[in-house]
Amino acid sequence: MTSVSALTDHIEQYFEQQSELYGKDTFLLGIQPGKPATATALAPVLEMKENSEIDKPKDLSQKALLEQFNAEHKNCMRCGLGKERTQIVLGSGSAFAKVLFIGEGPGREEDAKGLPFVGDAGQILERMLKRMGFIRKEVYITNVVKCRPPGNRNPNDDEIAACAPLLQKQIQIIQPRYLFCLGKVAANALLRSDETIKALRSKVHSYHGAKTFVTYHPAALLRDQNLFWEVYEDMKLFRQVYDAEIGDKPPMVEMNRKN
Ligand code: SF4
C-alpha cells in the first residue's frame, strides 16, 4: 500500500509537473464578502449572540484559560460519543494562534493518541500548513466533535449540538483572527448552512468577527488528488487576506495550472 508520505510526495510532484506543463498561473481569486448563511436543520450548532464579536477573556491569560478549559472538559460525557472514545481530543496548538483549523472529528489514530490530525489526513494538513507558510505549533487545530464517532462516521446533529459549546469556548479563549473549516461538517456547523463545500469555498465568511475560510477536509484529498487545486486556491485566498492584514509571512510559493 502506498504510504501517505509517498502519496504527498507524489502530489507535490504532480503540482510541479502541472506547473511546468501549463505555464502561467491562471487562477482568478475574487474575495467575496460572505453572504449570510442559510439557517437550516443544522442551525443550532454554533450560535453565539447574534452579531456579537468574540468576547475577550479578561482575567487569565489565554494559555491559562485554555489549560483550565482542557481540565474542565477532559471527562466530558455530554453526548453518547463520550462512551465510545479511547481518549478525548480537545485540540492542540498555540493558545495565541491567529488561525484556528476545524475538522469534523477525531479518527482512529487521533482517538488512540488524544491529538487532532495525527493520522494520514494530519500529514496532508501539515503539508497544507507548510505551503501556507505556517508550522503546526503556531496555529490551533481542533474538531467540531471532540470524541471519535464509531467507524469514522460523520457526527450527527445531536452530537454536534452537544459539543458546540466546547468549540465556542475554544474560539472565545483563543480569539483567532481567522477560522479555517476543513470539510463540509465543520463548514455547515460553523456557518449554519447546509450548502456544499463547492458553494461555500472561495469566499471569505465571517463568524463573529473572525474571517472564516472553507476548504475540503484533508482526508478528501487522500481520495481525490485533483481536489488539491481547489484547496490550493483556498489557501491562496487565505494568504491574500492574511498578507493584506498581517503580512508577516514570506510570499506563498506560486503553483500553476490550466483552468
Ligand atoms: S463529543 Fe463533545 S459533547 Fe460528546 S462527549 Fe465528546 S466532548 Fe463531550
Side-chain angles (χ1 to χ4, degrees):
M1 198 169 80
T2 311
S3 71
V4 174
S5 173
L7 179 58
T8 49
D9 286 346
H10 175 68
I11 289 162
E12 293 280 320
Q13 280 171 15
Y14 174 73
F15 277 139
E16 314 298 356
Q17 285 165 359
Q18 295 286 306
S19 302
E20 283 175 18
L21 279 173
Y22 297 119
K24 274 192 168 296
D25 190 330
T26 49
F27 291 149
L28 290 172
L29 292 175
I31 299 176
Q32 304 166 26
K35 61 179 180 181
T38 314
T40 69
L42 289 172
V45 276
L46 282 161
E47 191 165 8
M48 293 201 280
K49 277 183 285 180
E50 276 304 320
N51 302 320
S52 67
E53 294 289 316
I54 294 167
D55 292 335
K56 188 179 167 99
K58 293 185 178 61
D59 301 332
L60 292 171
S61 74
Q62 283 153 289
K63 193 161 181 280
L65 284 165
L66 200 56
E67 285 167 3
Q68 186 180 71
F69 167 88
N70 290 342
E72 280 172 5
H73 296 285
K74 66 182 183 190
N75 298 316
C76 178
M77 296 294 279
R78 286 169 58 97
C79 80
L81 294 180
K83 287 193 296 235
E84 308 280 347
R85 70 182 176 228
T86 307
Q87 294 195 65
I88 196 165
V89 184
L90 290 170
S92 73
S94 170
F96 308 99
K98 295 186 182 81
V99 199
L100 191 150
F101 289 81
I102 306 164
E104 68 182 52
R108 185 172 47 83
E109 290 189 55
E110 289 79 12
D111 177 64
K113 293 181 178 161
L115 291 167
F117 283 93
V118 289
D120 293 351
Q123 287 190 36
I124 298 291
L125 178 59
E126 288 190 14
R127 290 289 182 107
M128 288 168 59
L129 288 173
K130 189 174 170 194
R131 189 157 288 284
M132 285 190 283
F134 288 81
I135 55 172
R136 188 176 172 122
K137 68 181 180 188
E138 72 179 309
V139 302
Y140 196 83
I141 303 171
T142 188
N143 286 298
V144 169
V145 294
K146 317 301 188 194
C147 304
R148 183 192 183 210
N152 284 353
R153 65 163 170 79
N154 285 348
N156 64 39
D157 288 355
D158 289 343
E159 292 156 354
I160 292 172
C163 212
L166 278 68
L167 180 55
Q168 284 177 10
K169 192 69 188 170
Q170 289 173 312
I171 294 171
Q172 286 176 323
I173 291 169
I174 298 167
Q175 306 165 53
R177 195 151 165 175
Y178 308 103
L179 300 172
F180 222 123
C181 299
L182 303 170
K184 188 171 188 298
V185 171
N188 288 164
L190 207 79
L191 299 173
R192 301 169 58 203
S193 163
D194 62 359
E195 291 188 270
T196 62
I197 289 287
K198 224 174 205 14
L200 292 169
R201 57 171 291 277
S202 301
K203 301 180 177 75
V204 182
H205 304 268
S206 177
Y207 181 77
H208 296 274
K211 289 195 170 77
T212 302
F213 301 80
V214 172
T215 197
Y216 291 94
H217 192 283
L221 276 62
L222 287 167
R223 296 189 290 270
D224 180 359
Q225 72 177 43
N226 288 313
L227 293 177
F228 270 78
W229 284 115
E230 290 167 75
V231 173
Y232 175 62
E233 290 176 8
D234 299 329
M235 291 191 286
K236 280 185 69 174
L237 173 61
F238 165 74
R239 275 298 304 263
Q240 282 180 355
V241 175
Y242 185 93
D243 291 348
E245 295 183 346
I246 296 180
D248 62 355
K249 297 282 180 192
M252 195 168 148
V253 176
E254 289 286 328
M255 308 195 81
N256 303 309
R257 63 173 280 191
K258 181 184 178 184
N259 270 343

